[in-house]
Amino acid sequence: MAVTTIEWRNDSVRMIDQRLLPGREVFRVFHDYQGVARAISEMIIRGAPAIGVAAAMGVALGLKGTHSARAERRFAVVAHKLKSTRPTAVNLSWALARMERVLRASLDLPARALFERLRDEALAIQREDVAANRALGRFGMQLLSDPSVVLTHCNAGALATAGYGTALGIVRAAREAGKKVRVVADETRPFFQGSRLTAWELRKDRIPVTVIADNMAGLLLSRHGADCVIVGADRVAANGDVANKIGTYPLAVLAQRHGIPFYVAAPLSSIDFTCPNGDGIPIEERAAEELVMVGGRRVAPAGVKAFNFAFDITPADLVTAIITERGVIRPPLDRGLVALKRVLEGPAAAAQGAATGATFSAPAANASAGSYLR
Amino acid sequence: MAVTTIEWRNDSVRMIDQRLLPGREVFRVFHDYQGVARAISEMIIRGAPAIGVAAAMGVALGLKGTHSARAERRFAVVAHKLKSTRPTAVNLSWALARMERVLRASLDLPARALFERLRDEALAIQREDVAANRALGRFGMQLLSDPSVVLTHCNAGALATAGYGTALGIVRAAREAGKKVRVVADETRPFFQGSRLTAWELRKDRIPVTVIADNMAGLLLSRHGADCVIVGADRVAANGDVANKIGTYPLAVLAQRHGIPFYVAAPLSSIDFTCPNGDGIPIEERAAEELVMVGGRRVAPAGVKAFNFAFDITPADLVTAIITERGVIRPPLDRGLVALKRVLEGPAAAAQGAATGATFSAPAANASAGSYLR
C-alpha cells in the first residue's frame, strides 16, 4: 500500500488521520508524547500493532532532552499517559515494556544518545512489525484454498500495523503467491473500519473487496458466501481466548455453525502470556456519542442510553488456528501457546537478545518454524 | 404511542415518514396507489404488518371510481404494482389476497359502494392488526420473567404495525401487567430501525431502552446482559423457518449458544402456510447505496462493491416459540403450525367468515386458545 500509517520524521511522528479516510488523506504531525497519546485515544491511529509503534515513538518523543538521572521518573509519567489511552490491545503495554528495558540498559548514556537509542528502538519495533506481518502472511496464506473468499472484520491491514497487515497480510501474501483471493469486509460499526479502511487499502492494492453490514455475515455464511474468516487480535490470552474488535465473537460462533475455519492473525506482540484467559482482558467502553452520532447526525433520540463496547472475547474453543510470525498454532491452543513461549524463551531466542526485548522480533520464517506448533 | 403509523383520511392515506424519525415528525399524504407503492418501496412506511395495511389502503385508493365491470382487471394492475414493491414480507400478499376476495364478492355493487366496501375492508385489516398485536402481547408477556431485559432487533413496534407492535407489543403488555421490562435495541444497519424507531417509540412510552450496535449482541449475551431475544417476522414458513430483518439469524445462533430463549412475535398475517420452508422465501436485495452512504456521506471508497440484503432466514430449530394472537407455538414448530392451521380452517373459523378472508381476524384471546398449540 502506497500510504504509510505512521512515520518518524525530524524528531516528530507523522500519521495519516484514519478518522477521515477514505474521504480525505490528511496527515497529522505530533511533536510531543501528549499529542501521540491523544492520537491513540481519539483513534487518529488505531489497530493493535500500530498503536504499539505509536506508543514506542511517543516514549522517544517524551524522553527527548531528558537527562538519564531523571529518565526513569520521566518514563513513568510518559508511559502512564500513553498506556491509559486504550486498555484492550496488549501491544501498547508490550511496546512500553520493551522501551523500558532499553531505557534501563542505557542509563549510562548522555541525554542525546539516550534519546537516539530510544528512537532507534521505536524504529526497530516499526521495522520488525512489518517483517512479522510478512512472515505471518506467508504462514497464513498456506491455509487458504485457491480460489477463496475471506470474510474479515474491522481493519487488520496495513493501516492497523506498521505496514502490510496481519489478517490482510495473509490475503496479500496469498495474492503474491498467485492465489485468487477475494475479501468480504464487515463495515464494523460504529467506526466503520471495514467499509472505510479495509475497503480503501484493498482497493489501493487492487484486491477485490465487497462490503457488508456486520449483521449480514449470518446470511453470507448460510449461503456459502465465504470460505473462511480471518481477523486480527488486540490481545490473545495464554489459553487462546482472543480479544478483538466488537463483533468478532459472533463471527466465530457463525463460522463454527457453518463449519468454516475461523483464523486469528496475531503477531507475537499481541500475545499476552501473563493473562490466563479472556476474563482477564479489560474491555474498553467508549463514549455513547460515537454510536448514536453518525456522519454528524444523531440517529437515536436525544437522551437515549447506548452501550459502546469496543471489543469482545472469542473463546479459544471457537478458534481454528492462531497464525503468528513464528508459525501456526492449532488447538489445543493453550498447549500450542506454551510451546511457543518455550521456544521464545529458549537459548536460541536468548542469543538473539532476549534481554533487550528482542525476543519478540521476527526472524525470517522458515519451514520448520511452523512444525513444533503442531 | 401517541403517533399513528398509517391512517385513512378523506379518501387518502397519511403516514409518518419513518425515514426522518427521530429527528423530524413529518407526515406524507398519498391520494393514489402509485404513491402508496412508492412509500412502501422507499421505506417511508416499513414493517411487515404496516405494509400489509398500506397495501390494502392502496387497493382501495386504486379502485376508487372503478366500475365493477372493469374492477378485476384494474385490481390486477394495482395489486401487481403494490406487490412488486417488497418481496419478503408475506403480509403484503396476504392483504392483497384478502382485498381480492372482498372485491370478488362485491362485483354486483355500484362503483361508489364497491370502493366503500374495499375501504372498509382496509380499515378492518388495520383495526384487526392492532387487536391481534394486543392479543399476541398478552400471550407473549406471560413468557417474560420479572424483571427482565429483552434484546430486540429492528423495529417490531407500533411503527411496524397498525399500532401497539408485535415484539414491542409483548414488552408493552408486560409493562401494562406491571412487569419490570427493559429493552436493549440493536441499532439495525443500514436503516437504523433500532436506534431511530424502536428507541423513539419506547421513549415516548417511557419504557427504558438502551441502544447497541448490531455487532455488540455477542458480548451482551456472553455477559448475561439479556434474558431473552424477541423479534418480529416478515414471513414464517410452514416448518417454522422465519424470515426477518437482516441480522436476526445471528441473534438466534447467539441465543442458542447462551441458552436464552429466542421468541418470534408473528401475527397470523405473517405466516405463510403455502411456503414449506425458508428456502422458498425470497430475500430482498436493496441498493448498495443504502449501505455505503450514511447521513449523506459516503463511508466506503467510491466504486467499492457492497451487498445489501434486507432479510435473513432463521431456521426453525433455533426458535424457542412463535407467539401469535391465537397462542404460543412451541417446537416442533411444523406440527404446531399444522395444528394452528387446522383450527383456523375449522368450523368455528368458517362461521366467523372464512369465505371473506376473516379467517385471519383476531378473536379476543382466551385462556384456552394457547393450550392446543402445546
Side-chain angles (χ1 to χ4, degrees), chain B residues 317-374:
Chain B
D317 69 281
L318 295 176
V319 177
T320 308
I322 297 172
I323 303 160
T324 77
E325 66 269 41
R326 295 295 287 267
V328 176
I329 305 171
R330 296 276 189 182
L333 298 179
D334 52 352
R335 286 173 54 188
L337 285 162
V338 165
L340 171 62
K341 186 162 183 273
R342 214 172 285 138
V343 169
L344 294 174
E345 287 169 348
Q352 284 172 27
T356 62
T359 307
F360 291 103
S361 70
N366 60 61
S368 70
S371 56
Y372 60 84
L373 303 170
R374 300 169 34 112

Side-chain angles (χ1 to χ4, degrees), chain A residues 66-309:
Chain A
T66 304
H67 191 279
S68 63
R70 289 185 306 276
E72 284 187 285
R73 204 188 303 168
R74 173 74 177 172
F75 175 85
V77 172
V78 170
H80 175 78
K81 177 76 179 172
L82 289 164
K83 194 172 176 176
S84 66
T85 52
R86 303 198 68 192
T88 303
V90 75
N91 311 62
L92 220 156
S93 313
W94 169 86
L96 293 173
R98 180 163 158 178
M99 295 300 282
E100 186 172 14
R101 284 194 297 273
V102 169
L103 175 78
R104 294 238 162 108
S106 317
L107 289 175
D108 54 343
L109 298 177
R112 182 70 203 174
L114 175 60
F115 163 69
E116 286 171 357
R117 184 73 199 273
L118 291 170
R119 178 202 61 196
D120 291 347
E121 190 68 13
L123 291 171
I125 289 177
Q126 179 182 32
R127 253 192 336 270
E128 291 164 14
D129 185 55
V130 178
N133 291 343
R134 289 194 174 269
L136 184 163
R138 281 191 294 273
F139 283 117
M141 72 93 176
Q142 295 167 30
L143 304 174
L144 300 191
S145 51
D146 181 17
S148 64
V149 178
V150 171
L151 173 61
T152 191
H153 189 67
C154 194
N155 171 266
L159 287 167
T161 60
Y164 203 69
T166 53
L168 299 188
I170 293 171
V171 171
R172 287 192 165 96
R175 299 271 303 184
E176 286 163 16
K179 292 188 178 180
K180 284 170 208 67
V181 177
R182 294 185 297 121
V183 173
V184 176
D186 276 356
E187 65 175 7
T188 316
R189 284 280 293 145
F191 203 65
F192 294 108
Q193 290 97 331
S195 48
R196 294 195 304 105
L197 309 179
T198 293
W200 180 78
E201 65 166 86
L202 291 180
R203 266 182 79 79
K204 281 212 176 252
D205 282 359
R206 299 176 185 279
I207 299 173
V209 56
T210 303
V211 171
I212 60 172
D214 301 320
N215 61 26
M216 292 175 192
L219 180 70
L220 183 86
L221 297 190
S222 72
R223 302 270 161 118
H224 313 292
D227 300 296
C228 67
V229 179
I230 312 182
V231 296
D234 287 80
R235 192 185 303 215
V236 177
N239 74 335
D241 288 355
V242 176
N244 191 48
K245 179 53 53 192
I246 189 80
T248 299
Y249 166 55
L251 290 185
V253 174
L254 287 166
Q256 184 189 52
R257 181 168 167 103
H258 293 286
I260 71 165
F262 180 86
Y263 297 125
V264 175
L268 300 177
S269 58
S270 298
I271 301 175
D272 184 356
F273 291 105
T274 71
C275 182
N277 58 56
D279 295 341
I281 303 177
I283 303 283
E284 178 183 10
E285 190 175 0
R286 297 185 60 88
E289 290 294 292
E290 291 184 357
L291 185 67
V292 297
M293 297 294 293
V294 180
R297 280 192 226 173
R298 174 172 291 279
V299 285
V304 159
K305 246 179 88 178
F307 291 141
N308 185 11
F309 291 100

Side-chain angles (χ1 to χ4, degrees), chain A residues 187 189 249 258 294 304, chain B residues 187 189 203 249 258 294 304:
Chain A
E187 65 175 7
R189 284 280 293 145
Y249 166 55
H258 293 286
V294 180
V304 159
Chain B
E187 65 175 7
R189 284 282 293 145
R203 267 183 77 82
Y249 165 56
H258 292 286
V294 179
V304 159

Side-chain angles (χ1 to χ4, degrees), chain B residues 67 207 230 256 319 355:
Chain B
H67 191 278
I207 299 172
I230 313 182
Q256 184 189 51
V319 177

